Amino acid sequence: MKSKITEITKLLLIAVLILCVLVPFINMLGGITREDFDKIISSPMFVTAIMHSVRTCLTTTAISVTIGFLLAVSIQRSHVKFKGFLNVFLTIPMLIPSISIGTGLIVLFGNKGVIRNLLHLNTSIYGFWGIVIGSVLYSYPVAFLMFSDALKYEDASPYEAAQVLGISKLRRVFVITLPYLTKTIIAAVFSVFTMTVTDYGIPLMIGGKITTLAVMMYQQVIGQLDFTKGSIIGLFLLIPAVIAFTFNAISKRNAKLSFVTKQFDIRKSKARDTAAASFCGLISLGIVCLIVSFIVYSFAERYPRDITPTFRHILFLFDMGGAGYLWNSLKIALIVATLGAFIVFTTAYLTSRVPSLSSHVLHLISMTSLAIPGLVLGLAYVLTFRKSFIYGTLSILILVNLMHFFASPYLMMYNSLGKMNENLENVGYTLGIPRMRIICDVIVPQSRITILEVFSYFFVNSMMTISAVSFLFSYNTKPISMMIGQFEAQMNLECAAVVSIIILIANAIVKYLINLLKKQINKRETVAASAER
Amino acid sequence: MDGADITNVSPADRNMGIVFQNYALFENMTVLRNVEYALHLKKQYKSTAREMALDMLKRMDLSEHMNKRPGELSGGQQQRVAIARTLVLNPKVILFDEPMSALDVATRLSLRSEIKDIQKEFGTTMIYITHDQEEAFSMSDRVMVMEASHLVQLDTPEAIIRSPANDYVKDFVIKNLQIKINSLVRFVQYQESCQ
């Protein structure tokens, strides 16, 4: 049953991934000398940055994971209204760059901030708590989605058994819920910690005097062009990601859930529903504030002094070449999403449905991008491709995004394809149908929804990323997300807000269209089903 | 097969159909499409594919379901689609690879007789792989007992029970069967005593 073509394709993919992820990374490590390393880790600035990073990220992780968990419980285990809407609305922060959230906080709580003005506050948002609040807003959706997924598929029968045995509600949480969620909690903690510790957007905006490791790395590379120092700092940013990666690789995913789970029968309780609704409302209010503040800043002459409506800021953005940069971003996102969907499908198909030794190797390499933060990958690309022809072109931005965002959609696809009946290709084989036909006529149609999700993941992330691309764009290829930092540096918060809104709208449109397509597919299937009955 | 060694012939050219575990139907296609799909890809059948498929569905009593998708069918109907998909290519032999191992006992019982009926109607040779001795002995004209990938005995069910070839057949096959029969007998006795 082994064919040469599948084996060659696997080896080819392995080669491409090694060349585009591992080689640049090892090349970066090779540039580090013992001397530089010792010099940097003994410098007081570096030690302080580590302390700042650890403190802000631990605080953020604790709050983010708690919020994510409470939101998921509120929606999955109550009769709160508008569940579908909340599920979408609460993940809006995932559609904008982290740096936009920083901008939003300045717009809300900065010295001329909207809320600060309304409430006559005197405290400053710049500093530790600014970073924490921003990072929480940036990262809680990830925890929320992980917990939602886990709770959605939790089996209700142990709870019913516990009830019959007369075990108290509080004890049920400790003996059933927590053990069930252990894996999810650990995964959420790692994910949130990793994404916040490697993010420079928020601390750069509102860190004030607090410099975190990620900001330090960004400044060393962008400001001082000190690539060696950047590489060494990047090495430290790698640690939590590598731990997270190892944990992910060790803990087996429940890809093939075949047993039947009992649905939760949620009893009526007004008090619980009110509490759930209030909590969801509170977090939603934060998101509303963020969006409203962007709109106010974008369309007011100069908030808070002069609030006459104006298109001045938008026009200024376009004068600065905003349309071209938006076009760059759209081109990158579309190409990454299309190519990404194709490559991810091919890779996941080969690893999940054409087993061999090379499949294991390919599977492992496909997940390595999880362990390399965007900033580090970006720097590795600068060091490796600086003298090559793709440097300074759109291709390098496309390539770095493809590799940076490869692992998550790959795992989505891998799990989805692994769940399909394992004998489909064998059926084709005995009926004389070539493998390619089975792939095109059976496998692809059955995984359309996952393919759409993969497309949307690549698009949204390429649209909003500020990490891997930040060292790699040139004057002609600059993505629009990189304008936010630039405007903020010029104290032009209005234009930074406009850019944030543009990115949010572009991503929202794509998400909406993908959802529409998904519904269409589901509907067609159920209509066909009900028409026959 | 028919005196020819097919060990090195590619599965597609062996003229042998296989019904797989859980059937592996094409979920995204209708029942009709499932059955005619392979025909469309073969030159000699291309023009008559639709007719042949419709005819097969009729004989398998599936005509009223032909526009449904496999997910909307019962276990028995799905099995018939899987067999129809194989039979339509007119294979010399059909191999059933533990088709019912994932199903519950009640469904297995009814599907068992259905396969038998189909076999009688079409007269195709069927090889049925199973771990269930009862299934094997109730369905087969001839039973082949294998031990560690070696053939131990090939005979009619009656002959195997009358004279098992070795201890393995005696202990593994017949004893297990005996246990089942004993419990059945006890059940019947109990019912009689109640009356």
Side-chain angles (χ1 to χ4, degrees), chain B residues 24-192:
Chain B
L25 294 172
F26 305 139
E27 300 286 338
N28 58 311
M29 299 181 184
T30 61
V31 168
L32 177 61
R33 218 33 218 144
N34 260 285
V35 176
E36 69 175 1
Y37 181 57
L39 293 172
H40 273 294
L41 299 176
K42 292 195 169 27
K43 271 194 196 118
Q44 69 265 40
Y45 296 129
K46 214 165 186 175
S47 53
T48 53
R50 178 57 58 93
E51 257 173 77
M52 288 167 75
L54 286 173
D55 183 53
M56 177 55 66
L57 289 175
K58 208 167 167 189
R59 289 176 73 183
M60 296 291 276
D61 218 7
L62 283 166
S63 296
E64 54 174 318
H65 305 297
M66 67 178 191
N67 289 319
K68 288 185 189 171
R69 282 167 205 265
E72 304 162 50
L73 301 177
S74 70
Q77 290 162 341
Q78 287 189 20
Q79 172 171 276
R80 268 184 281 152
V81 177
I83 299 174
R85 180 175 67 179
T86 315
L87 267 176
V88 79
L89 288 170
N90 204 14
K92 288 232 166 65
V93 179
I94 298 186
L95 179 73
F96 287 77
D97 187 7
E98 298 190 40
M100 300 197 258
S101 56
L103 298 176
D104 60 278
V105 181
T107 321
R108 292 171 80 130
L109 277 176
S110 73
L111 293 192
R112 212 193 267 175
S113 54
E114 212 165 279
I115 292 180
K116 192 77 199 158
D117 292 345
I118 294 168
Q119 198 272 325
K120 274 182 193 142
E121 167 164 3
F122 286 85
T124 312
T125 306
M126 291 182 178
I127 301 172
Y128 191 101
I129 302 171
T130 177
H131 283 120
D132 184 336
Q133 293 89 353
E134 190 194 336
E135 214 162 80
F137 280 81
S138 65
M139 292 173 77
S140 319
D141 300 312
R142 283 198 300 165
V143 176
M144 177 195 269
V145 183
M146 310 239 345
E147 181 189 2
S149 69
H150 286 289
L151 168 64
V152 182
Q153 193 170 14
L154 172 60
D155 223 323
T156 62
E158 296 79 18
I160 290 181
I161 291 170
R162 221 180 307 122
S163 50
N166 61 10
D167 286 349
Y168 176 78
V169 180
K170 212 190 288 174
D171 293 344
F172 177 68
V173 183
I174 299 177
K175 229 178 207 159
N176 274 331
L177 209 54
Q178 202 66 49
I179 292 169
K180 274 193 180 166
I181 293 170
N182 285 344
S183 63
L184 270 179
V185 169
R186 227 174 298 150
F187 175 72
V188 174
Q189 283 170 348
Y190 173 75
Q191 259 191 339
E192 280 172 352

Side-chain angles (χ1 to χ4, degrees), chain A residues 421-424 426-434 437-438 441-442 445-446 525 528-530 532-533, chain B residues 11-12 16 18 20-29 37-38 41-42 67-69 72 85-86 89:
Chain A
N421 191 303
E422 58 191 326
N423 281 319
L424 290 171
N426 291 335
V427 168
Y429 208 39
T430 56
L431 296 178
I433 308 167
R437 293 298 307 235
I438 292 284
D441 294 343
V442 181
Q446 286 190 41
E525 273 160 16
S530 55
E532 302 300 330
R533 288 226 164 111
Chain B
M16 181 167 100
I18 300 183
F20 288 93
Q21 207 176 71
N22 305 341
Y23 313 131
L25 294 172
F26 305 139
E27 300 286 338
N28 58 311
M29 299 181 184
Y37 181 57
L41 299 176
K42 292 195 169 27
N67 289 319
K68 288 185 189 171
R69 282 167 205 265
E72 304 162 50
R85 180 175 67 179
T86 315
L89 288 170

